Amino acid sequence: DSGVTQTPKHLITATGQRVTLRCSPRSGDLSVYWYQQSLDQGLQFLIQYYNGEERAKGNILERFSAQQFPDLHSELNLSSLELGDSALYFCASSGGGVNYNEQFFGPGTRLTVL
Amino acid sequence: GIQVEQSPPDLILQEGANSTLRCNFSDSVNNLQWFHQNPWGQLINLFYIPSGTKQNGRLSATTVATERYSLLYISSSQTTDSGVYFCAVFPTSGTYKYIFGTGTRLKVLA
């Protein structure tokens, strides 16, 4: 158990809908990262937050947004969903351990868009 | 941007065999991690190894940052070692983000 929690584990929805994925980092970690893993794209970095502020952005679509709250949990919002958004979405956290940038991953949310 | 290549892409072993997985990267990095993604999709930390050598049980890793590669050694492989092994690098230049390699898919046969 990495200490990072993600909910829900599975999500099935229809095209055009909007969903919210939730992540709670390890105790003491200030940074939260979101990744998307799809069959044809591998693991892609989406966005990073550090102590509530956006720190780095990757290949995140405009239909997607994220935020980190004062209690450090983070949410990833996906809207106007398309079939191609079906993927495994991971959250990772870092910052509270001996190795500052070492990332620990949650179990992921498997999103299926029908 | 930085390129991260892993080899081999696929590997099939008999239980008890040893293997070496390689990760090459095209630019200097501050950090490097190895992960194991098990058949259930979980990403498990194996090593945080920006340089040097580390060992954890049957697994060990070596990173030679000056030559831009890292190796993961698996000895006496077990069926539970099956899955995909990823290296991820944190480039020295550019924004704060990890770049993942394409992975090595390992299958260990009983």
Side-chain angles (χ1 to χ4, degrees):
Chain A
D1 186 353
S2 67
V4 180
T5 61
Q6 288 187 249
T7 56
K9 287 187 180 175
H10 302 276
L11 201 47
I12 301 175
T13 188
T15 54
Q17 296 298 305
R18 182 178 189 275
V19 298
T20 297
L21 313 184
R22 183 187 168 101
C23 167
S24 292
R26 292 188 322 155
S27 177
D29 286 356
L30 298 180
S31 282
V32 168
Y33 311 77
W34 287 98
Y35 293 84
Q36 178 192 56
Q37 186 179 32
S38 52
L39 282 175
D40 57 346
Q41 294 288 329
L43 266 154
Q44 300 287 320
F45 168 79
L46 295 178
I47 197 163
Q48 179 203 358
Y49 279 82
Y50 174 81
N51 202 20
E53 299 290 325
E54 181 185 304
R55 194 175 203 190
K57 222 168 185 175
N59 301 322
I60 187 166
L61 299 172
E62 285 193 11
R63 300 184 286 108
F64 296 0
S65 65
Q67 54 184 326
Q68 186 180 27
F69 295 87
D71 66 353
L72 301 178
H73 91 271
S74 177
E75 292 181 356
L76 179 67
N77 301 296
L78 315 176
S79 61
S80 303
L81 285 167
E82 302 175 0
L83 296 177
D85 297 327
S86 295
L88 195 49
Y89 290 84
F90 285 105
C91 166
S93 73
S94 73
V98 173
N99 299 313
Y100 184 78
N101 286 316
E102 184 175 6
Q103 295 189 18
F104 294 85
F105 280 74
T109 292
R110 188 172 296 278
L111 173 66
T112 302
V113 182
L114 301 175
Chain B
I2 192 171
Q3 302 298 313
V4 184
E5 295 179 356
Q6 291 186 241
S7 61
D10 296 280
L11 190 56
I12 300 176
L13 299 174
Q14 283 297 134
E15 204 167 23
N18 303 328
S19 60
T20 301
L21 283 56
R22 187 176 182 103
C23 171
N24 290 335
F25 39 97
S26 61
D27 206 344
S28 60
V29 300
N30 285 333
N31 306 315
L32 186 146
Q33 287 188 245
W34 281 97
F35 297 91
H36 173 216
Q37 187 167 35
N38 64 23
W40 296 271
Q42 287 180 295
L43 274 167
I44 299 160
N45 286 40
L46 297 178
F47 294 101
Y48 174 88
I49 186 165
S51 63
T53 298
K54 289 186 178 179
Q55 179 152 10
N56 185 4
R58 296 180 297 103
L59 273 59
S60 64
T62 294
T63 297
V64 184
T66 53
E67 296 187 21
R68 298 182 184 169
Y69 73 89
S70 183
L71 302 173
L72 177 69
Y73 305 95
I74 305 174
S75 64
S76 304
S77 58
Q78 301 175 356
T79 56
T80 51
D81 295 332
S82 296
V84 183
Y85 289 80
F86 290 102
C87 70
V89 302
F90 197 98
T92 302
S93 60
T95 56
Y96 298 90
K97 58 183 181 180
Y98 266 96
I99 307 297
F100 275 77
T102 50
T104 291
R105 187 173 299 275
L106 173 64
K107 188 174 179 68
V108 181
L109 305 175

